[in-house]
Structures are given as C-alpha cells and as structure tokens.
Amino acid sequence: MELKPLEESIQDRILLEETFYVLTKKNSTFRVRLTAKGLHLIKESEHSVKEQLIPIKDIIGCQCLRSKKKAQNCTCQSLPRSDSLQVVQENSADLDDSDVSAYLYIYAYIFQGSKHMNKKRERTIITLRFRSFDKYEDNNKEAQRWRCTIKKLLRGEIVSHSMLIDYSLVTRHKETQRLLILCNPKSGSGKGKQVFQQKVAPILNEAEIPYDLYMTKHYNFARDFVRSNSLAQWTGIIGVGGDGIIFEIINGLFERPDWAEVLKSIPIGVVPGGSGNGLARSIAHHCEEPYVPSPTLPAALAAVRGHSEAMDLVRVETMSHILFSFLSVGWGLLSDIDIESERLRVLGGTRFTVWSVARLIGLRSYKGKLWYIPSSISLSYSENVFHSPVNKGNVLDLPPVVHLETEEGDNVDSTNRRMYGPASQLPSLTASLPSGWQCIDGRFVMVHASYQTHLGEECLFAPEARLNDARIWLLIVKHGATRSQLLQFLLGLTTGAHAINGNKDASGYIELIPVNAFRIEPDMSQVGYMTVDGERVDYGPIQAEIFPALCRVMVP
C-alpha cells in the first residue's frame, strides 16, 4: 500500500532518540532512533553511515530488566564462568544492587534470506542499556518510556508529542489481551504439550501476553469447554494440535446461543501439532509467511500481534448432523486414506504417504450422484447472517458427530447437541434440488471439497483458494482414471501441479471446479467413508454450502 505524504511524515517522525551501547552489536556505540516504522540502529564513522531498520511489524515485545547478581567465585570451581550479561526481573532477589542500569530487551523475528529462496524468520534480541543517571529509578523511568512507546506502536496506536513529554501519558495503558489455550497433548505423534511449552510459551512470555492453558482430557473436551464456559475474559482462543481440535472449537462455538457475537469478537488461532495441520499451513501460505523450518512460528506470531482476518465457513448437513466446517468435506480416496491411516498415527504426517500407496494398490470406486452449484451462480444470502432474524430460530437438536477413535477408558459421546448458526439457503437434504444445479451420475474414485489452499502440510490442494473468497473448491476424480494417472495426481498435490494447467486434466477424469454448494448422494449398496475436516461422519447423503466471512482467524 502506497503511503500519502502526511502518512509518510507520521511514519518518519522521530519519537525517541538516544546514543546507546548496544550489547548485541560489536564495536560498541550506536545511535538508536525510534519511529513508527521501527527501531533504527545507526552506526556512524568518519567515512560512512550504516543504518539497520528493525521493522515494528517484526517486533513482538519488550521488557525492562536488571542485571543479575554475579555468583561468588569458588576456589574449587574448575570451569570458567561466562562473562555474558545475565538479567532478572526488577523484583527478583538475585538482582545486582551495584548496577544502577536499566536494560531494555527488545524481541524481534526478522526475515532472513531472499524473498523466494530459503526465506525464514530469525529471532533477534536488541539490548539497550540505560545508565545516564546515578539512580536506578531514573534509568528505569527512561527505559520504561521507550518500552511503553514501543508497546503503543505494536498495538497500532498513534504516539503524540505530548505523550512523550508526559511520562504518565505514555505509560498509561491497561493490558486487555488474554488468550485461552486449548492443547491436545496427544495430537499427531503425541508431542502437543511439548510443542506448546518449547515453541509457543516462550514467545508469549517475550510479548508479555497472559494466557490460560488447558490440556484436553478426552475427545470433545475443547468443544464442551467453549460451549459451556463464559468466554468474556479472553480475547482469543488458540488450539494446539491438529485440525481436529479446531473442528471441536468451531462446532462448540456454534452450540452457544450467543454464537454470532462470539464469532465476531473472538478470533481463533491454531498452533500446528497434529498430523495434517491443513489450516495452519493455509494461513501461513495466505500471509506469505515461511512455514519451514519452524511451523509453529507463524501461529505464535499471529497470537502475540493480535491481527485477524475473516474466514469462510461451510455449513454441512447429513441425515442426522449439522456441522460447521473450516477445511474440507471428503468422499472416496482421500477420506479412505485419512481414516484408515489412523492406525499409523505414531508416524505423524508420514502415515498419509504410506497409506496412499496401499490405497492405490487396492483402488476403490464408489457409485453415486454429485450435484453442485457453480460459483458463477450466487446463493441468496441475507445481507448479514449475523443479524438476520432467522438465525436465532435456527436451532437443531442432533446427535453428535461420530469419531473414529477415543482415548482409552473414554466413552463415545452420546450427548444430544443443540446447534445454532445461520439458516441454510438450500432445500432440505431429503428434498429435490431446483434447476440450476448440475449433476454427475456415475462412479467416482473420489469427490473432495476444500475451502483452504492446503489439506495438510505437504498437500497444496487448491492453490487459488483464499481465506475469505466465498468459494468451495470441488475436486472430482471419476472412475476410469488409471493408477498411473492417480499416482501423478497424488504427487502433484505436494506442489499444486495438478491445478497448474487449468482445472481439468487432459484425460477428463480429474477436474477441480469452484462451487457455492454441493450435494453427494452415494449408492448405499456399497459402504465407504465420509469425512468433515478429517472427522468421520455417517456414510450417506451429505450437502454443504459456503457462508462467507463467518468467523475470524489469527494471522501473522
């Protein structure tokens, strides 16, 4: 976005400036300047001026600390002690009273590498030492002025000249952000808790973001938690695990009478810790954030920065369930692989590759009818589904979705669930469809619909998809495709090559088309699997429709 002249002057206006000894830079003295653009580190010599900008968008937080009391030398000490600076909180019993300096630690995650090759973020700490005064209290006051100014910039606030002059104004702010973390400790290969503690918690602490952590204890724990608890104290909900925990969170929110208000005001975040991680990968792809080598970093940065974007959801109806889906609906090959590979969960994402080979050898096809509305034909949505009077009456008492596996000792959930949400624009599942719907009647290897770019970390399913493009991408693979063609198709999913040369392959057996709604009517003489967001649902007729921008997700 191009800035106007006035906006440029605001961005370039110097807010604070001082000469510091920057501990993380060699050769000592730098002039440090703070603007709305970020932190400018300026090193001047007789012949040149070198400047490095730490963009404000790459800074996640800062803290004021004191130096730690040095350990007493011991005559029996055999290893040399490091002379590197060690710091503690101001109220620590280990602080060094002899050092009156205040230390400002600024945490940033800066892009390294070229734009397209080997691009990654690298953790950087800038340490500024304030020691102009004889008393720690005075040095700390100045450090706090810098800290609070940076915090205001991180929140997107405009810092006025009067704020910088009046210490009480710049430091006046009540922290309101607090996150709810729901972590599945057994997700993926069983490292969900470890992922959070080692990869996410340190970043939340650097950003001084308070949170409440709950470990899921059984299937549907997260769903029941968000349904039954007051969420007013939290400004965001983060699921740590695979796509399954996000499925629980979203559908739990739709079991609340205040679903519309909650979905508008509380964004959802996802920290990848499962086998698939399709949503986490799609968000990183959408925001052009490097996902490798640190998949959890984009999600952690999204959590601390507080940014969110609207995301489409899909209302799914079976003969006994109403569900809200964020990722996919499947029938056939990919669903078979997803469900049947559960027995190999210990392998993590590799289980999908192993079972893909098995299913190609024992290839199946399914008879049925596929109906769909092309995206060129719009559905008649009310102008705002959040405020439409019909939504308050859209209450359905339905049995829960069936899940393939449960924890040892857990009972399958048999509680009747009351679902709220926007009213469907489609005929009921048992009613005939009107004109305008297109129909394919025959045998299918698979029909799979997605509304995200990725179904998994290495599965680029719909390259043109966006978080809120109001489209379902429907992949149709008809019976007659050879194993060789299917192998090439599956290999192409890693790069999106299956969709590069148009949305229909040369054989005519494989087609990817954008739609607004679809219905699948399988021949019930043959039993198979149907999935919603990777969760197994009853095999039988199923229909789905897109609801644009129905929730908000955290983005980096």
Side-chain angles (χ1 to χ4, degrees):
M1 182 178 66
E2 187 175 349
L3 296 178
K4 298 178 181 178
L6 179 59
E7 292 173 323
E8 287 181 345
S9 64
I10 294 174
Q11 291 282 312
D12 293 326
R13 181 163 59 91
I14 298 174
L15 302 173
L16 294 169
E17 184 173 16
E18 191 61 79
T19 300
F20 289 97
Y21 178 78
V22 184
L23 296 179
T24 54
K25 294 287 183 181
K26 296 180 180 179
N27 301 324
S28 65
T29 308
F30 280 74
R31 184 156 47 91
V32 180
R33 179 181 295 160
L34 180 63
T35 70
K37 288 183 177 179
L39 200 67
H40 305 253
L41 308 179
I42 305 166
K43 181 171 176 58
E44 297 178 341
S45 64
E46 294 182 6
H47 305 291
S48 65
V49 176
K50 294 182 178 179
E51 179 175 342
Q52 178 186 3
L53 173 65
I54 310 295
I56 200 69
K57 62 185 177 62
D58 292 345
I59 297 173
I60 66 161
C62 50
Q63 298 181 32
C64 290
L65 302 167
R66 290 195 69 172
S67 59
K68 183 178 181 180
K69 187 185 301 182
K70 295 180 180 179
Q72 296 294 324
N73 287 330
C74 177
T75 55
C76 63
Q77 184 176 356
S78 60
L79 296 175
R81 188 177 59 80
S82 171
D83 289 327
S84 61
L85 174 69
Q86 293 184 321
V87 292
V88 293
Q89 297 290 339
E90 182 183 10
N91 57 359
S92 171
D94 293 328
L95 63 84
D96 184 1
D97 289 322
S98 64
D99 186 359
V100 298
S101 304
Y103 296 89
L104 178 62
Y105 272 51
I106 302 171
Y107 305 99
Y109 289 78
I110 303 172
F111 276 125
Q112 301 290 339
S114 63
K115 186 173 183 180
H116 300 290
M117 296 292 292
N118 302 319
K119 187 179 178 182
K120 64 177 183 179
R121 286 192 182 272
E122 187 173 283
R123 181 174 181 261
T124 303
I125 302 176
I126 303 298
T127 308
L128 305 180
R129 182 182 186 183
F130 292 81
R131 54 175 180 175
S132 299
F133 302 97
D134 295 331
K135 294 182 178 180
Y136 165 75
E137 290 74 17
D138 295 328
N139 289 321
N140 183 56
K141 185 176 181 179
E142 190 60 24
Q144 292 289 353
R145 187 192 306 275
W146 279 71
R147 171 184 171 271
C148 293
T149 303
I150 292 173
K151 289 276 193 178
K152 286 182 178 294
L153 293 175
L154 293 179
R155 292 190 294 267
E157 300 177 18
I158 296 177
V159 180
S160 64
H161 183 65
S162 60
M163 286 183 178
L164 297 173
I165 295 176
D166 189 337
Y167 176 78
S168 64
L169 289 177
V170 77
T171 56
R172 183 184 301 165
H173 177 75
K174 182 180 180 180
E175 295 288 351
T176 57
Q177 188 175 3
R178 189 175 192 88
L179 299 175
L180 167 62
I181 314 289
L182 295 168
C183 177
N184 180 0
K186 296 186 178 181
S187 63
S189 54
K191 297 182 178 179
K193 182 177 180 180
Q194 181 181 337
V195 164
F196 176 78
Q197 291 177 336
Q198 296 182 2
K199 302 293 186 180
V200 181
I203 293 177
L204 294 176
N205 293 335
E206 288 175 352
E208 299 179 293
I209 303 295
Y211 61 88
D212 297 302
L213 172 64
Y214 292 85
M215 295 292 172
T216 61
K217 300 175 181 178
H218 51 76
Y219 172 64
N220 266 341
F221 177 94
R223 184 171 185 166
D224 294 335
F225 188 98
V226 300
R227 171 183 56 82
S228 59
N229 285 279
S230 170
L231 303 177
Q233 60 186 305
W234 295 298
T235 55
I237 303 173
I238 296 177
V240 182
D243 292 317
I245 197 166
I246 303 303
F247 177 84
E248 286 192 24
I249 291 171
I250 288 176
N251 281 279
L253 294 177
F254 278 105
E255 292 174 12
R256 300 174 60 97
D258 62 347
W259 65 272
E261 179 184 346
V262 171
L263 287 174
K264 284 192 301 181
S265 60
I266 302 181
I268 300 167
V270 53
V271 173
S275 302
N277 305 316
L279 180 59
R281 185 67 181 90
S282 296
I283 291 173
H285 181 83
H286 173 79
C287 299
E288 299 183 347
E289 277 286 331
Y291 190 79
V292 177
S294 182
T296 57
L297 185 56
L301 296 179
V304 301
R305 291 309 302 268
H307 297 319
S308 65
E309 286 192 21
M311 184 176 76
D312 302 337
L313 291 179
V314 167
R315 183 185 186 275
V316 180
E317 182 178 348
T318 72
M319 295 300 290
S320 57
H321 303 143
I322 297 294
L323 304 168
F324 286 87
S325 166
F326 63 91
L327 184 64
S328 65
V329 175
W331 173 43
L333 179 61
L334 291 185
S335 293
D336 294 348
I337 293 169
D338 194 3
I339 297 302
E340 293 176 351
S341 67
E342 284 279 354
R343 67 195 73 180
L344 304 178
R345 180 171 286 274
V346 69
L347 298 180
T350 307
R351 69 183 174 100
F352 300 117
T353 303
V354 173
W355 213 256
S356 294
V357 175
R359 282 280 55 84
L360 277 179
I361 295 172
L363 189 62
R364 304 166 183 159
S365 64
Y366 301 89
K367 189 175 186 307
K369 292 182 180 180
L370 170 66
W371 305 78
Y372 63 88
I373 301 178
S375 60
S376 57
I377 302 176
S378 62
L379 295 175
S380 302
Y381 294 112
S382 58
E383 188 171 317
N384 191 332
V385 297
F386 288 108
H387 295 104
S388 173
V390 72
N391 300 324
K392 297 179 180 179
N394 183 30
V395 180
L396 300 139
D397 289 311
L398 296 166
V401 62
V402 176
H403 190 261
L404 184 64
E405 67 169 10
T406 58
E407 309 267 356
E408 184 176 347
D410 289 341
N411 294 319
V412 176
D413 184 1
S414 59
T415 306
N416 286 338
R417 295 188 174 275
R418 171 169 286 192
M419 296 296 289
Y420 297 83
S424 175
Q425 308 299 309
L426 306 182
S428 69
L429 192 53
T430 56
S432 300
L433 293 170
S435 61
W437 287 71
Q438 298 189 22
C439 178
I440 303 175
D441 186 351
R443 297 193 69 87
F444 302 87
V445 173
M446 62 174 282
V447 175
H448 213 92
S450 182
Y451 356 109
Q452 307 293 347
T453 54
H454 290 73
L455 289 181
E457 291 183 335
E458 298 182 4
C459 182
L460 181 51
F461 182 88
E464 295 182 36
R466 297 294 180 266
L467 289 177
N468 51 6
D469 60 359
R471 289 190 292 185
I472 298 171
W473 289 89
L474 189 64
L475 180 66
I476 307 165
V477 181
K478 300 175 184 176
H479 175 68
T482 66
R483 286 179 174 81
S484 176
Q485 290 170 332
L486 291 172
L487 177 60
Q488 291 303 313
F489 158 72
L490 290 174
L491 293 174
L493 285 174
T494 61
T495 60
H498 66 290
I500 289 177
N501 300 319
N503 291 333
K504 191 171 186 177
D505 77 328
S507 70
Y509 290 116
I510 303 174
E511 186 174 10
L512 180 66
I513 54 177
V515 303
N516 287 327
F518 67 91
R519 177 188 288 184
I520 299 172
E521 297 176 349
D523 186 330
M524 297 303 291
S525 64
Q526 180 184 9
V527 178
Y529 297 109
M530 283 188 168
T531 56
V532 176
D533 296 347
E535 304 291 311
R536 183 182 175 185
V537 297
D538 292 342
Y539 191 78
I542 190 171
Q543 67 182 22
E545 61 188 299
I546 193 82
F547 277 89
L550 194 52
C551 73
R552 301 197 66 82
V553 289
M554 299 177 186
V555 297

